[in-house]
Amino acid sequence: MPEDNENTEQQVVKKSSKLKFIIIGLIAILLIVVILVVVYMLVLAPKGETDEQAAAQQQVPAAQVPAAPAPTVQPAAPAPAMGGGMDMGVSNAEMGQIYPIPTLNVNLADPTGITYLAITLALEFDPKNSDLYKEVETKMPRITDMIITILSSKAYEEISTSQGKVNLKNEFLRRINAMLAKGRLYNVYITGFTVQR
């Protein structure tokens, strides 16, 4: 009998040793997998285009950077777009001259008369057209009056949404261009918009 007890004790010890060995092996494998994932994500993972572009720009010496092409001259000022207050014939690279309009404070069409709008606008047009700049400057009292008249006829609900602002910009663009004789605006930007009720 004592031999049977010794054999069973040896078998229990062998089983627990095997179990410890298996657990330690699984933990080691799991640790290796976690380390490999972290290394891949930090070092080997493909980076986004912005990181690649930034790295490429840093590697190119300034002397080798090609000069930007000169903007093309358009024979006539483009007609205003009716989609969002922006002329699609003008790319972002060809940003026109900006004429800022100071902040205007206007009472909106509200039966209670207590809804105020503070709006700041900027007009964009062909930078080569100095005559248009002078004309806008000369006609600014008429342009400001027209803007205030339009805004005071609008209810907050009409102009508070994104589409309402697009419609407002299109209306300003159309009405201002109707006043101008020496060219056309490309766009009207809303650079500030605050409503107080």
Side-chain angles (χ1 to χ4, degrees), residues 136 147 160 177:
V136 167
I147 291 169
S160 62
N177 277 334

Side-chain angles (χ1 to χ4, degrees), residues 58 70 104 124 130-131 154 158-159:
Q58 289 175 353
L104 301 170
E124 180 186 12
S130 60
D131 291 338
K154 303 288 184 186
E158 290 179 78
I159 60 175

Side-chain angles (χ1 to χ4, degrees), residues 52-180:
E52 291 174 4
Q53 290 173 350
Q57 289 176 354
Q58 289 175 353
Q59 294 175 356
V60 177
Q64 294 179 358
V65 176
T72 58
V73 178
Q74 297 178 355
M82 298 312 281
M86 182 170 188
D87 180 7
M88 296 305 161
V90 181
S91 72
N92 289 338
E94 300 173 7
M95 185 77 169
Q97 180 156 343
I98 300 294
Y99 188 99
I101 299 176
T103 301
L104 301 170
N105 297 309
V106 182
N107 291 336
L108 294 177
D110 183 358
T112 62
I114 58 170
T115 304
Y116 305 99
L117 169 66
I119 189 167
T120 309
L121 301 170
L123 310 178
E124 180 186 12
F125 51 90
D126 185 356
K128 297 175 195 87
N129 191 343
S130 60
D131 291 338
L132 182 58
Y133 184 89
K134 291 173 190 169
E135 183 181 16
V136 167
E137 197 168 45
T138 303
K139 292 184 176 176
M140 190 47 60
R142 286 182 59 201
I143 292 170
T144 303
D145 177 67
M146 179 271 305
I147 291 169
I148 291 171
T149 303
I150 289 174
L151 288 172
S152 62
S153 71
K154 303 288 184 186
Y156 171 74
E157 291 74 23
E158 290 179 78
I159 60 175
S160 62
T161 64
S162 296
Q163 187 59 47
K165 289 176 184 69
V166 168
N167 293 342
L168 193 62
K169 288 168 46 172
N170 283 333
E171 187 172 356
F172 290 156
L173 186 64
R174 184 176 44 79
R175 298 279 296 270
I176 295 170
N177 277 334
M179 292 181 191
L180 301 175

